């Protein structure tokens, strides 16, 4: 084939245009900052009044407070306790730090250096009078003008249905040379005094964690983690991650202020942009608090000279409105259980979550296979290692089913074309022929139906490392804010750095998620399975800068919710794994229920908040007992919250699987695990029946250390995690044991 | 067309530049129950010194003791943690100069802030680095800044001090800054002093200075030894003083087992190595002689990490040993605790944080390690807390079984090991132990199976020897008869063929090729002058050589091969075989042409290829015999190897003499020059590749600038 110069040029131009068009990212211009000619400042006035409460504007703070009908302040953007006069050692009133008195705190990017600095609304706006107020329905809008850095932020404060809502619409933010990175909304509204005896902060880390306030002689303890985990489209940063921890999965935080009052803050809009932050011990502020910071701009780590890493911030800002709703809890509700109840009500109203009465005691994860490396005359090739065929899976189910009086659940993981490895999207929407193919799956599905087993087929609908099944690696993947396709690498086991031993994969373009899930449901329509396991979809949250609505992880909750709904509309159930709230609320079973927090230095102890929210509504299952460090402890945790048991199983183990990225193969061989299953089921089955489908009505940690869980069917469970036997009501609970009591 | 290729190449480069890295999110199979991955290393796995694999956790973090727990306003810097014989725990906040005392259930009991003598003199120990509790309850404090080891009781009552002794052994410039202290069962006191490379200062039970105990040695190369000799012989004292001297590294921690053997750990053993350190742990007998014999073993992770362009060097800085000689060492950089048994087998690695840990079980800067029964206590000098790791049921089982098998009671721990195997298929020690157990039972088949899986060549060899003996006893008569028959058939066939002057091989070139092996002078002559060399035959020989070389590794006997498919580099073998032949051919042709050689390129290629035949035969023999020999018969294979190499050398020599019509001397000269030429060619290839790589980088940079500007 001979090509002339003209043809060559045309080909080149076409290729370049295709390449660049596939790499185009959306951009949104921010309005230009303009100092108003005159600030519309007002004196204190009531902006909303419901009879029981009134929301009042306070001029000297440029903020609002909520008063009850007795005129007492019950909520404010500053800690409630800060309205009680505190005196120093000389008898003088202790002045409040401007951070504590600020309605918002912003972080902005300095031009040129990209350094992040902080500005406080109290100091920069209230103190200088550079703000404007405007009455709106049920509330007030205060625009904070940070004149020095030329950024203005309009913030809406409303009070309706006994809920204070604070909203920010990024589309109305104006900027000059300095660009806004994040807004922390009412950072000290959930504040408590550092020396408070009864107060605590609640953080949704994993299962949920409590921070008891403290006062240090210098410095402070801080916490900052993204809600729903790190943005998977952000590269490099994971290289610096040196720990494994459960992420913040629920869009809620709060504080118990006094014995009979607490504040529960729910992030109603823009939760994907949120970081949950907390601080305690700071002597300069005197208060501890937990709040939500919304990162409206994304950043990427980028190499500059000498391989130094710098953060590059996106030009465009997310346009999603962010809203935090504050609810007051009082009396017996003023604790983390009350917060869980409130949050559950919110999920019910938002996602239509309802009790399923479908708890199952035994929940299996059966692993199909993985690719291993073999050589032919020294040259490497991938060979599929069949860890469990579908026939073997049927045998496993048939062997354990008689142990259980009721339904069991089985999630088939890694039964797609490439096993547990990520290749074509959703495992190619097919069943690996080495494992038996679709025919064998149909046989298994029929068997499962006849034998009261809910069979899920797990598929990764987000990752791909090969084009195919209608999704191209070249054009159908998500882009980062600097127009790059982001490779998802696996960790090196001991250095926790990226490894090239396993093929990295890409994340699919966000806009394709609904189509892919729909296609998955259609592809398996004749098989007869109960549902799909969508673990990555339920846990991974990421941006895609091809469309402004996906900036900074935007709209992930909505998209995933829609995707799950579309599957459910086709009659399938959905199994999720350690899921974010938006996926968990729509699911039919939650595997790997978070039962610990990230055990951060700042946390005082864990609480089973996640379980309290979902128990009785969505069936729960703990982490696989055969892979935990302490199976007895896991059983104890299951008993504490009434969750089902889980086991990860394979039929054939081999040291050939050493090089698999997965950590499950060392202890999952069914023949070895079966006695463990039998022992656990025998121990737990009758107790589980007592709390099957029941909801948790209360939870507490008694003074002697016993954990007490009360269910709504009058069953109480005492669990003893201590090293010694403990007693309650004249009955002894041995160390590492539990006691079921019907009150 | 070339232009088109360039454009395509450019576009490909551009496309590659769009792909950068991030690390994967969680999968359904990965759950963060612990804040670190629990893993172990398989030792000597398929030729790799260490291969990291997941394992079932033997320890899990239980709780952390911080300032709140201890009832302190704050902690400045925890430098050491220690336990006494009753299980009481002592935490040294060196920064503040306070010792917190807890009972065996970790309940805070009291604290010592100042030590007072009967005369009410006050002794402070701020910035103290270490403590030790003697069996009689005496607390010894390595009071670094005050240059003493301070002894007091639990109530802070002053007892005595160990100061720098007045002794001829101690150099004049010696600085006494005690950092760690330990006491053996006889009451001898061992003190490590900051910057001392002489070993530990040893005091008698009566506190008399006895001398220095143990020390790291300086490893030196032959070159360094020669240099030292030269310095000694030819340099003046002034010059000697100015020259660098290599000093051993100091111990950073020590502990003593129940047999009075002293374990020491050295953080950095080789400052020139930014990769891994070696020989960090030593075990000295009471005479001060190192008896572990593992000076070339790396006790920490297999490799090191680079974060933001800075290498995070390994730094083992704490050591503890229990009554059964299980040794625990902690790496302060990576926050990992490595647990070894008394046979130096790694059982598990736990902890983590890589200098940035915050969660329970991870660390920012571990400063000390101690044991309390089965609990492992790790102090963090930056987070200022002591984390208590509890042993899991699995861990307890492994410790029990390992202790039993090492003690030689094979019959008492089989069930335990089988249970361990059912819980963790990645436990190498379990495979090895079961192999030994089955060997002792005479169950050789299972012993072979477990030894092969566990890469225990020693046990495999013993079991295989027994299997082979049984096989030979059973089948020797049959095998003997078969061999005799085979020899007779061969001899008769050859005699018949020679009588009839019949050529079994019809192809003349092929015949020449094979005859080169037996009559090299005659047949290489025919290659030169009768054009009987076959290029295609040469290619076939190289291909066979490549295949047999690969098969030698991939299909050779277990005892003589180390094969890991994931690590095997076929390309390297390819270069070693084909590359060597082609390089020699080109280089030898170029050199010999200059020196009047008349050999053609084709002939040189034929000679070097035909010379591979002995090596091919050796490879084939190896493939067969390696499945039949046991480890101590490796000498046979070595002899075969040497013979084949020599024979190949002879073939190359004879062939080259014939085709170039050289004298032997000229052949040697040109051969050496050819080898040098090969090195030059490799160097040029390397330079070219580097330039191409740099050009690629430049294009990527330009493209990035264009795209992101």
């Amino acid at each position: 084939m001979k090509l002339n110069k003209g043809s060559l040029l045309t080909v080149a131009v076409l290729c370049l245009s295709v390449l660049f068009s596939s790499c185009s990212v959306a951009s949104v211009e921010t309005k230009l900052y303009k100092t108003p000619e005159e600030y519309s400042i007002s004196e204190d006035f009531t902006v909303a009044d419901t009879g029981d409460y009134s929301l009042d504007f306070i001029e000297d703070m440029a903020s609002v407070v909520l008063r009850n009908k007795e005129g007492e302040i019950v909520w404010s953007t500053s800690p409630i306790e800060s309205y009680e006069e505190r005196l120093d050692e000389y008898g003088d009133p202790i002045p409040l730090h401007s951070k504590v008195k600020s309605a918002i705190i912003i972080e902005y990017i300095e031009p040129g250096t990209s350094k992040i600095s902080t500005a406080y609304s109290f100091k920069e706006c209230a103190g200088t009078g550079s703000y404007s107020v405007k009455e709106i329905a049920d509330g007030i809008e205060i625009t904070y003008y940070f004149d020095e850095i030329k950024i203005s932020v309009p913030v809406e404060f409303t009070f309706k249905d006994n809920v204070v809502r604070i909203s920010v619409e990024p589309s109305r933010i104006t900027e000059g040379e300095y660009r806004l990175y994040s807004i922390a909304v009412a950072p000290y509204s959930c504040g408590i005094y550092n020396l408070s005896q009864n107060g605590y902060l609640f953080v949704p880390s994993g299962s949920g964690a409590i921070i008891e306030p403290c006062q240090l002689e210098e410095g402070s303890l801080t916490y900052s983690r993204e809600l729903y985990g790190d943005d998977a489209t952000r590269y490099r940063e994971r290289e610096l991650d040196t720990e494994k921890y459960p992420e913040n999965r629920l869009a809620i935080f709060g504080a118990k202020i006094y014995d009979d009052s607490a504040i529960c803050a729910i992030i109603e809009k823009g939760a994907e942009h949120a970081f949950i932050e907390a601080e305690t011990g700071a002597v300069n502020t005197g208060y501890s608090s937990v709040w939500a910071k919304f990162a409206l701009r994304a950043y990427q780590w980028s190499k500059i000279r000498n391989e130094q890493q710098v953060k590059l911030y996106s030009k465009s800002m997310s346009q999603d409105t962010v809203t935090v709703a504050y609810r007051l809890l009082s009396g017996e509700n003023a604790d983390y259980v009350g917060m869980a109840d409130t949050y559950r009500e919110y999920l019910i109203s938002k996602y239509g979550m309802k009790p399923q009465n479908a708890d199952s005691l035994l929940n299996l994860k059966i692993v199909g296979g993985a690719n291993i490396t073999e050589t032919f005359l020294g040259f490497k090739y991938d060979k599929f290692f069949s860890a469990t065929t579908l026939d073997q899976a049927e045998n496993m189910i048939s062997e354990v089913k008689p142990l259980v009086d009721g339904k069991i659940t089985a999630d088939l993981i890694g039964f797609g074309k490439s096993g547990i490895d990520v290749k074509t999207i959703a495992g190619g929407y097919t069943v690996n022929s080495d494992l038996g193919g679709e025919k064998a799956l149909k046989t298994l599905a029929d068997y499962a139906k006849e034998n009261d087993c809910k069979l899920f087929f797990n598929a990764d609908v987000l990752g791909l490392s090969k084009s195919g099944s209608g999704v191209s690696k070249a054009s159908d993947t998500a882009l980062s804010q600097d127009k790059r396709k982001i490779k998802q690498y696996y960790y090196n086991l001991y250095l926790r750095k990226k490894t090239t031993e396993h093929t990295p994969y890409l994340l699919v373009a966000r806009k394709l998620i609904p189509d892919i899930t729909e296609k998955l449901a259609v592809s398996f329509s004749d098989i007869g399975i109960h549902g799909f396991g969508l673990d990555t979809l339920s846990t991974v949250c990421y941006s895609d800068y091809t469309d402004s609505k996906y900036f900074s992880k935007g709209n992930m909750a909505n998209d995933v919710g829609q995707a799950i709904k579309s599957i459910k509309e086709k009659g399938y159930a959905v199994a999720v794994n350690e899921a974010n709230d938006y996926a968990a609320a729509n699911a039919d079973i939650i595997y790997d229920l978070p039962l610990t927090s990230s055990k951060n230095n700042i946390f005082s102890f864990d609480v089973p908040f996640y379980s309290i929210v979902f128990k009785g509504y969505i069936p729960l299952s703990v982490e696989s007992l055969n892979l935990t460090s302490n199976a007895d402890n896991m059983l104890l945790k299951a008993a504490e919250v009434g969750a089902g048991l889980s086991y990860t199983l394979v039929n054939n183990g081999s040291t050939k699987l050493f090089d698999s990225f997965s950590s499950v193969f060392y202890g999952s061989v069914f023949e070895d695990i079966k006695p463990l299953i039998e022992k656990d089921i025998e121990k737990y089955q009758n107790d589980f029946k007592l709390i099957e489908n029941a909801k948790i009505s209360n939870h507490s940690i008694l003074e002697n250390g016993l954990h007490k869980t009360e269910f709504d069917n009058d069953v109480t469970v005492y669990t003893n995690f201590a090293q010694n036997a403990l007693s309650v009501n004249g009955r002894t609970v041995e160390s590492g044991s539990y006691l079921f009591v019907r009150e | 067309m070339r232009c088109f290729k360039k454009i395509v190449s450019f576009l490909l480069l551009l496309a590659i530049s769009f792909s950068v890295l991030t690390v994967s999110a969680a999968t359904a199979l990965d759950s963060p129950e612990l804040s670190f991955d629990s893993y172990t290393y398989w030792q000597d796995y398929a030729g790799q010194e260490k291969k990291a694999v997941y394992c079932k956790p033997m320890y899990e973090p239980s709780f952390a003791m911080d300032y709140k727990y201890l009832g302190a306003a704050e902690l400045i810097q925890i430098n050491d943690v220690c336990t006494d014989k009753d299980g009481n725990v002592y935490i040294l906040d060196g920064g503040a100069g306070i010792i917190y005392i807890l009972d065996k259930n970790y309940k805070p009991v009291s604290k010592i802030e100042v030590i007072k003598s009967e005369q009410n003199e006050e002794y402070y120990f701020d910035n103290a680095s270490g403590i030790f509790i003697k069996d009689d309850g005496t607390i010894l404090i390595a009071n670094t800044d005050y240059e003493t080891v301070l002894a007091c009781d639990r109530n802070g009552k002053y007892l005595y001090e160990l100061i720098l002794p007045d002794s001829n052994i101690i150099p004049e410039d010696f600085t006494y800054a005690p950092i760690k202290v330990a006491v053996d069962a006889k009451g001898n006191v061992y003190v490590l002093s900051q910057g001392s490379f002489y070993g530990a200062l040893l005091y008698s039970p009566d506190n008399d200075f006895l001398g220095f105990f143990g020390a790291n040695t300086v490893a030196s190369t032959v070159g360094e030894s020669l240099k030292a000799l030269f310095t000694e012989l030819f340099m003046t004292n002034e010059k000697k003083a100015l020259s660098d001297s290599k000093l051993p590294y100091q111990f950073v921690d020590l502990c003593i087992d129940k047999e009075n053997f002293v374990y020491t750990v050295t953080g950095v053993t080789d400052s020139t190595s930014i990769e891994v350190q070696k020989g960090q742990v030593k075990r000295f007998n009471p005479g001060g002689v190192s008896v572990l014999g593992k000076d070339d073993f790396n006790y920490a992770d297999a490799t090191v990490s680079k974060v933001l362009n800075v290498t995070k060097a390994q730094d083992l800085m704490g050591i503890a040993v229990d009554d059964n000689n299980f040794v625990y060492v902690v790496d302060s950089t990576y926050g990992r605790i490595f647990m070894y048994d008394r046979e130096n087998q790694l059982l598990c690695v736990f902890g983590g944080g890589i200098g940035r840990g915050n969660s329970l079980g991870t660390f920012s800067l571990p400063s000390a390690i101690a044991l309390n029964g089965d609990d492992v206590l790790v102090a963090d000098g930056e987070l200022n807390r002591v984390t208590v790791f509890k042993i899991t049921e699995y861990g307890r089982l492994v410790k029990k079984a390992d202790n039993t098998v090492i003690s030689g009671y094979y019959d008492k721990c089989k069930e335990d090991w089988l249970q361990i195997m059912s819980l963790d298929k990645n436990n190498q020690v379990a495979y090895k132990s079961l192999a030994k157990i089955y060997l002792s039972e005479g169950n050789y088949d299972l012993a072979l199976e477990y030894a092969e899986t566990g890469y225990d060549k020693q046990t495999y060899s013993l079991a295989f020897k027994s299997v082979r003996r049984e096989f030979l006893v059973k089948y020797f008569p049959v095998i003997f008869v078969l061999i005799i028959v085979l020899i007779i058939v061969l001899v008769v066939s050859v005699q018949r063929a020679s009588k009839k002057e019949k050529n079994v091989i019809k192809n003349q070139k092929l015949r020449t090729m094979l005859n080169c092996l037996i009559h090299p002078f005659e047949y290489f002559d025919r290659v030169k002058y009768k054009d009987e060399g076959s290029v295609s035959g040469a290619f076939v020989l190289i291909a066979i050589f490549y295949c047999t070389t690969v098969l030698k590794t991939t299909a050779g006997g277990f005892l003589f091969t180390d094969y890991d498919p994931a690590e095997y580099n076929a390309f390297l073998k390819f270069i070693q075989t084909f590359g060597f032949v082609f390089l020699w051919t080109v280089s030898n042709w170029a050199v010999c042409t200059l020196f009047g050689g008349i050999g053609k390129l084709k002939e040189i290629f034929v000679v070097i290829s035909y010379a591979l035949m002995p090596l091919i035969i050796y490879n084939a023999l190896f493939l067969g015999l390696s499945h039949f020999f046991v480890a101590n018969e490796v000498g046979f294979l070595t002899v075969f190897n040497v013979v084949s190499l020599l024979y190949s050398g002879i073939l190359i020599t004879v062939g080259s003499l014939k085709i170039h019509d050289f004298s032997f001397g000229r052949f040697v000269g040109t051969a050496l020059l050819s080898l040098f030429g090969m090195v030059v060619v490799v160097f040029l290839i390397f330079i070219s590749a580097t330039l191409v790589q740099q050009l690629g980088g430049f294009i990527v940079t330009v493209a990035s600038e264009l795209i992101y500007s």
Side-chain angles (χ1 to χ4, degrees), chain B residues 168-428:
Chain B
N168 294 335
I169 307 171
I170 295 181
E172 280 179 13
D173 58 348
F174 188 84
T175 309
Y176 189 55
I179 50 169
K180 297 287 172 190
V181 56
V183 181
D184 67 17
K186 291 177 182 166
N188 296 308
V189 183
Y190 301 76
V191 178
L192 293 183
S193 178
Q194 183 71 50
S196 164
F197 45 81
Y198 305 102
L201 288 96
L202 179 61
Y203 295 82
S204 72
D206 300 326
N207 299 336
D208 297 326
F209 178 64
L210 298 176
F212 286 103
F213 178 90
N216 278 320
T217 49
V218 180
S220 63
T221 60
V222 177
E224 284 167 340
S225 302
L226 288 173
K227 190 183 163 193
L229 185 67
F230 180 82
T231 309
E232 192 60 37
L233 291 175
F234 301 109
M235 283 201 177
T236 60
N237 286 340
E238 289 75 20
K239 280 187 178 173
K240 273 186 210 170
L242 290 172
S243 65
D244 295 331
S245 57
K246 204 172 175 184
L247 298 172
Y249 291 91
Q250 71 160 97
F251 302 138
V252 291
D253 195 14
L254 81 169
C255 60
I256 298 167
D257 68 15
K258 63 178 182 184
E259 291 156 344
N260 282 343
F261 280 65
V262 179
Y263 285 82
T264 62
V265 65
T266 309
V268 178
T269 53
D270 182 4
S271 63
T272 58
S273 168
I274 55 163
E275 291 301 316
V276 294
Q277 305 289 319
K278 286 186 173 177
Q280 302 100 316
V281 175
K282 283 197 161 55
R283 184 178 187 231
F284 293 96
N285 65 16
V289 179
S290 172
V291 293
L292 210 52
K294 281 275 188 178
D295 286 352
D296 59 344
F297 184 75
N298 167 25
Y299 285 82
D301 276 317
T303 54
V304 293
S305 175
K306 243 184 177 185
V307 174
L308 298 181
N309 214 26
V310 176
T311 301
K312 296 184 79 69
Q314 296 172 343
D315 186 13
L316 295 187
M317 48 60 56
I319 188 165
V321 60
D322 70 10
D323 287 347
N324 292 313
N325 285 49
F326 288 102
V327 180
Y328 302 76
V329 283
V330 60
D331 183 337
S332 69
T333 306
Y334 290 86
R336 307 248 193 252
I337 299 110
F338 300 83
M339 179 195 177
Y340 292 89
D341 66 15
R342 70 180 121 137
E343 287 193 343
N344 248 32
Q345 299 180 110
L346 180 71
L347 295 180
C348 72
V349 185
F350 55 99
I354 315 182
R356 299 176 71 243
N358 213 340
S359 312
L360 186 69
T362 63
F363 305 96
S364 282
L365 187 65
S367 55
I369 185 167
L371 304 176
N372 189 19
D374 278 330
D375 295 355
V376 177
L377 281 58
V378 181
D380 190 318
E382 199 162 284
L383 294 176
N384 283 317
R385 63 184 189 188
V386 176
T387 303
V388 179
F389 288 89
K390 294 271 179 195
I391 193 164
T392 61
E393 280 307 309
Y394 170 76
R396 207 182 297 280
L397 189 63
V398 172
K399 276 182 81 172
K400 181 184 154 214
D402 188 64
N403 200 35
T404 313
V405 84
I406 287 177
S407 303
Y409 302 114
Y410 293 147
D411 53 328
K412 290 186 181 166
C413 55
K414 184 177 164 187
E415 290 307 313
D416 286 344
W417 282 118
L418 286 171
Q419 196 186 340
I420 288 163
M421 187 66 82
S422 73
L423 294 170
D424 184 358
K425 288 273 183 292
N426 286 6
N427 191 322
Q428 187 187 22

Side-chain angles (χ1 to χ4, degrees), chain B residues 92 115 122-131 139-152 158 160-165 174-181 189-194 201 203:
Chain B
L92 171 67
I115 294 164
E122 291 186 340
Y123 296 84
Y124 293 94
F125 49 95
D126 44 300
N127 290 329
S129 304
I131 48 170
I139 301 170
L140 296 178
I141 304 167
N143 204 359
T144 316
D145 282 6
Y146 295 84
E147 300 181 358
T148 66
V149 172
L150 201 53
C152 67
Y158 173 87
Y160 57 86
E161 276 181 279
L162 296 175
I163 57 168
L164 182 65
F174 188 84
T175 309
Y176 189 55
I179 50 169
K180 297 287 172 190
V181 56
V189 183
Y190 301 76
V191 178
L192 293 183
S193 178
Q194 183 71 50
L201 288 96
Y203 295 82

Side-chain angles (χ1 to χ4, degrees), chain A residues 1 3 8 11-12 15-16 19-20 23 212-214 216-218 221 232 234-236 238-246 306-307 309 365 367 373-375 377-380 413 420 458 482-491 493-498 505 535-536 539-540 577-578 592 596 598-601 604 623 625-630 632 634 648 655 658-659 661-667 669 672-673 723, chain B residues 1 3-4 7 10-11 14-15 17-39 41-42 45 51-57 59-60 62 66-68 73-74 301-309 334 336 352-354 356-360 362 383 385 390 392-393 421-426 431 453 546-547 550-551 554 563-571 574 707-708:
Chain A
M1 187 180 74
L3 291 172
L8 285 170
V11 170
C15 289
L16 277 170
L19 195 66
F20 279 91
C23 296
E212 289 176 328
C214 64
L216 304 174
E217 293 195 359
E218 58 180 41
L221 296 171
R234 189 185 310 135
Y235 57 89
R236 273 305 283 189
R238 282 250 173 189
E239 273 203 63
L240 303 173
D241 263 359
T242 56
E243 302 163 90
K244 295 187 335 176
Y245 33 71
N306 300 327
E307 298 214 332
Q309 299 283 317
K365 287 187 195 179
V367 182
T373 305
E374 290 281 13
T375 57
L377 287 179
F379 290 96
K380 289 176 193 173
I413 300 171
I420 57 170
N458 201 291
D482 51 357
K483 311 175 190 176
R484 303 178 187 207
K485 286 175 183 165
I486 302 298
K487 284 184 181 174
Q488 304 286 303
Y489 281 87
Y490 295 93
Y491 283 115
L493 175 55
Y494 55 98
L495 296 180
R496 291 193 64 74
K497 291 190 73 172
K498 71 155 180 125
Y505 59 91
D535 45 84
T536 47
T539 52
V540 178
N577 188 75
E578 201 197 344
D592 285 353
T596 64
S598 65
K599 305 269 186 192
N600 192 282
N601 200 21
S604 303
E623 287 175 29
L625 273 79
N626 54 318
L627 297 177
T628 61
S629 58
N630 190 334
D632 291 340
M634 190 55 73
T648 300
T655 50
F658 269 0
D659 290 312
F661 69 87
S662 173
S663 59
V664 303
F665 294 108
Y666 71 82
V669 177
D672 295 333
I673 304 305
Q723 301 292 314
Chain B
M1 198 62 199
C3 180
F4 181 71
I7 292 170
F10 176 69
L11 292 177
L14 216 58
S17 75
F18 288 131
S19 297
V20 289
L21 60 95
T22 188
V23 186
S24 72
T27 71
L29 298 173
D30 182 30
S31 64
E33 184 211 4
L34 298 177
S35 53
F36 51 84
D37 283 311
S38 180
Y39 62 93
Y41 285 103
W42 274 45
Y45 174 88
K51 184 172 183 77
V53 296
Y54 288 99
C55 74
K56 197 164 182 73
Y59 284 88
E60 57 179 351
S62 179
D66 59 4
Y67 76 100
K68 261 190 196 175
E74 64 175 341
D301 276 317
T303 54
V304 293
S305 175
K306 243 184 177 185
V307 174
L308 298 181
N309 214 26
Y334 290 86
R336 307 248 193 252
I354 315 182
R356 299 176 71 243
N358 213 340
S359 312
L360 186 69
T362 63
L383 294 176
R385 63 184 189 188
K390 294 271 179 195
T392 61
E393 280 307 309
M421 187 66 82
S422 73
L423 294 170
D424 184 358
K425 288 273 183 292
N426 286 6
Y431 287 102
T453 315
Y546 170 76
C547 292
V550 170
L551 285 171
T554 58
Y563 170 58
D564 178 5
E567 299 292 325
Y568 191 76
N569 191 339
F571 184 70
F574 192 81
I707 294 165
Y708 303 125

Side-chain angles (χ1 to χ4, degrees), chain A residues 429-470:
Chain A
Y429 305 110
T430 184
V431 186
N432 191 299
S433 54
D434 288 356
L435 303 175
E438 290 189 10
K439 199 177 163 190
L441 181 61
K442 196 169 186 327
T443 310
L444 177 60
D446 291 342
Y447 172 84
K449 255 186 211 167
E450 288 163 15
N451 291 277
D452 243 3
C453 172
K454 293 178 187 171
L455 190 69
F456 290 89
F457 188 87
N458 201 291
D460 181 355
V461 295
L462 301 184
L464 71 151
S465 65
K466 260 176 86 175
S467 296
S469 305

Side-chain angles (χ1 to χ4, degrees), chain A residues 344 347-348 351-360 363 407 409 454 456 530-531 564-565 568 572-576 581-591 613-621 688 691-695 712:
Chain A
R344 190 189 310 117
L347 292 178
I348 289 168
Y351 298 108
M353 186 171 81
K354 48 187 172 224
Q356 293 186 11
N357 293 331
D359 283 2
S360 63
N363 308 285
K407 280 186 192 302
T409 304
K454 293 178 187 171
F456 290 89
H530 182 73
I564 291 178
K565 264 185 190 161
K568 295 185 88 166
Y572 291 104
V574 169
V576 296
D581 54 7
Y582 51 78
N586 286 307
D588 296 279
I589 179 168
I590 301 171
Y591 274 92
V613 171
F614 292 110
K615 170 65 180 148
Y617 287 81
I618 314 290
L620 305 175
S621 173
F688 178 77
I691 47 174
E692 196 174 0
N693 301 320
K695 301 169 188 70
D712 66 350

Side-chain angles (χ1 to χ4, degrees), chain B residues 647-659:
Chain B
Y647 204 89
S648 283
I650 291 167
L651 289 184
I652 292 173
T653 308
V654 173
S656 299
L657 292 175
K658 288 290 174 188
I659 59 168

